[in-house]
Amino acid sequence: EDQVTQSPEALRLQEGESSSLNCSYTVSGLRGLFWYRQDPGKGPEFLFTLYSAGEEKEKERLKATLTKKESFLHITAPKPEDSATYLCAVSTNDYKLSFGAGTTVTVRA
Amino acid sequence: NAGVTQTPKFQVLKTGQSMTLQCAQDMNHNSMYWYRQDPGMGLRLIYYSASEGTTDKGEVPNGYNVSRLNKREFSLRLESAAPSQTSVYFCASIPTNTGELFFGEGSRLTVL
């Protein structure tokens, strides 16, 4: 059974204080690892797809990296608008994505 | 484009009542999904439809039924609601061969 574990559960940052979120996974035959952002009361919004170990993707202050066992989402010099819950998901043979429980990030001005 | 539209947004049911959550997408996607989201447990797949005319169980299908009415619409039915089905339900669709799920805004269901 696919397992996705995210840590920490919650992260409180000062504006400008860079940090990283972790997503560790156990799957047989990773097809893709995905990061989503979810704002309160909204549906998740797609951020990145990573397909193979060593791959990196960037978008504004976010950078996602992938190894064979985990992925990191680095937030560089965060701003209050980066406050959200960040979800990690994996897919294997088909596109039934398995999600982690998420990391809730709060950035204080 | 509206994307993925879910109705209703909020619903309160009594134990034993039935209801249907509606979902429609206007992006011509083949695959559609129903997830539930509970605190501390993340999103869990209830049912999915890889293409029009097909449906398959996900991780937590018990107590639910689905209908893929056509390519645009995928409904989720609770035949006899239970308090354990209190949750936020998300419908999503996906273009072929990508992992980029497009989610609706969610339907918040409370079963008393």
Side-chain angles (χ1 to χ4, degrees), chain A residues 27-101:
Chain A
V27 298
S28 53
L30 179 72
R31 188 163 186 172
L33 184 139
F34 311 92
W35 284 98
Y36 287 79
R37 170 189 170 127
Q38 186 174 24
D39 293 306
K42 301 289 187 182
E45 184 179 327
F46 172 79
L47 290 173
F48 302 112
T49 307
L50 301 166
Y51 292 106
S52 57
E55 190 174 358
E56 299 182 352
K57 294 274 179 74
E58 284 189 70
K59 181 178 181 179
E60 296 181 358
R61 293 175 293 282
L62 301 177
K63 179 180 177 180
T65 61
L66 181 65
T67 72
K68 288 188 176 179
K69 292 184 179 180
E70 57 191 350
S71 176
F72 293 93
L73 184 65
H74 308 278
I75 310 178
T76 301
K79 298 182 178 182
E81 53 262 43
D82 295 321
S83 297
T85 297
Y86 292 88
L87 302 171
C88 171
V90 298
S91 71
T92 52
N93 295 329
D94 53 35
Y95 286 97
K96 291 188 295 182
L97 270 65
S98 297
F99 283 83

Side-chain angles (χ1 to χ4, degrees), chain A residues 1 31 34 36 38-46 49 51 85 87 91 94-102, chain B residues 33 35 37 40-45 48 57-59 90 94 96-106 108:
Chain A
E1 184 178 315
R31 188 163 186 172
F34 311 92
Y36 287 79
Q38 186 174 24
D39 293 306
K42 301 289 187 182
E45 184 179 327
F46 172 79
T49 307
Y51 292 106
T85 297
L87 302 171
S91 71
D94 53 35
Y95 286 97
K96 291 188 295 182
L97 270 65
S98 297
F99 283 83
Chain B
Y33 302 77
Y35 283 90
Q37 187 173 40
M41 300 193 72
L43 287 154
R44 291 181 293 169
L45 182 64
Y48 72 105
K57 295 178 181 179
E59 183 184 352
F90 287 99
I94 195 170
T96 302
N97 295 329
T98 79
E100 185 178 345
L101 282 167
F102 289 78
F103 285 86
E105 295 279 281
R108 284 147 184 83

Side-chain angles (χ1 to χ4, degrees), chain B residues 19-66:
Chain B
M19 76 159 298
T20 300
L21 300 177
Q22 307 285 356
C23 175
Q25 53 92 7
D26 62 2
M27 297 171 284
N28 202 36
H29 291 167
N30 284 323
S31 301
M32 297 185 71
Y33 302 77
W34 276 105
Y35 283 90
R36 61 177 289 175
Q37 187 173 40
D38 303 289
M41 300 193 72
L43 287 154
R44 291 181 293 169
L45 182 64
I46 305 171
Y47 270 94
Y48 72 105
S49 172
S51 61
E52 186 179 354
T54 68
T55 60
D56 285 287
K57 295 178 181 179
E59 183 184 352
V60 289
N62 291 345
Y64 305 96
N65 285 302
V66 290

